[in-house]
Amino acid sequence: MKSFEFNKLIIIESLCADEPHTGTKLFNDVKLNEYRYSNLSVELKTLQTKKEWENLMDSICGDCIKNGTKPILHLEVHGSSDSLQFTDHSLIGIYEVGEQL
């Protein structure tokens, strides 16, 4: 059985100002326990728009190719069974997300 490897956790948050910022809380919790995860890089990315999402996906892909990064993406966004919604209420279809990943 092949093992599952990762070396980066990227927390992506796109929530309104009046909502609990659960991605930020997760990031802070992981950073407090960073000594337990010495080989794990943790990043928080806060997005407002679909365009910012697209730019981030391009950046993550480039990092994987150039540096051999193996990330896990943790999403803190609103959505439905067929789309994700960003802070500015723009949407991206789940199939488009799948293609980017």
Side-chain angles (χ1 to χ4, degrees), residues 8-12 41 43 45 56 60 71-74:
K8 182 181 272 191
L9 170 62
I10 303 172
I11 301 164
I12 301 171
S41 170
E43 295 180 4
K45 302 293 185 180
L56 178 60
I60 291 171
I72 289 180
L73 306 182
H74 177 95

Side-chain angles (χ1 to χ4, degrees), residues 36-64:
R36 292 182 178 177
Y37 312 108
S38 60
N39 295 327
L40 181 66
S41 170
V42 182
E43 295 180 4
L44 173 64
K45 302 293 185 180
T46 304
L47 308 177
Q48 304 292 317
T49 68
K50 178 181 176 181
K51 182 65 178 167
E52 290 176 350
W53 167 272
E54 292 167 347
N55 291 340
L56 178 60
M57 291 301 106
D58 288 345
S59 174
I60 291 171
C61 183
D63 187 41
C64 292

Side-chain angles (χ1 to χ4, degrees), residues 14 16 47-51 85-91:
S14 189
C16 293
L47 308 177
Q48 304 292 317
T49 68
K50 178 181 176 181
K51 182 65 178 167
Q85 180 179 341
F86 302 102
T87 304
D88 73 343
H89 302 290
S90 59
L91 299 171

Side-chain angles (χ1 to χ4, degrees), residues 15-27:
L15 301 169
C16 293
D18 62 342
E19 296 179 292
H21 286 228
T22 49
T24 300
K25 182 180 181 336
L26 174 61
F27 174 78

Side-chain angles (χ1 to χ4, degrees), residues 2 4 17 26-28 34-35 41 51 54 57 63 69 75-79 82-83 89 91 97 100:
K2 190 171 182 175
F4 176 72
L26 174 61
F27 174 78
N28 291 333
E34 195 170 37
Y35 67 92
S41 170
K51 182 65 178 167
E54 292 167 347
M57 291 301 106
D63 187 41
T69 302
L75 306 179
E76 290 289 335
V77 300
H78 291 286
D82 62 354
S83 64
H89 302 290
L91 299 171
V97 171
Q100 292 171 336

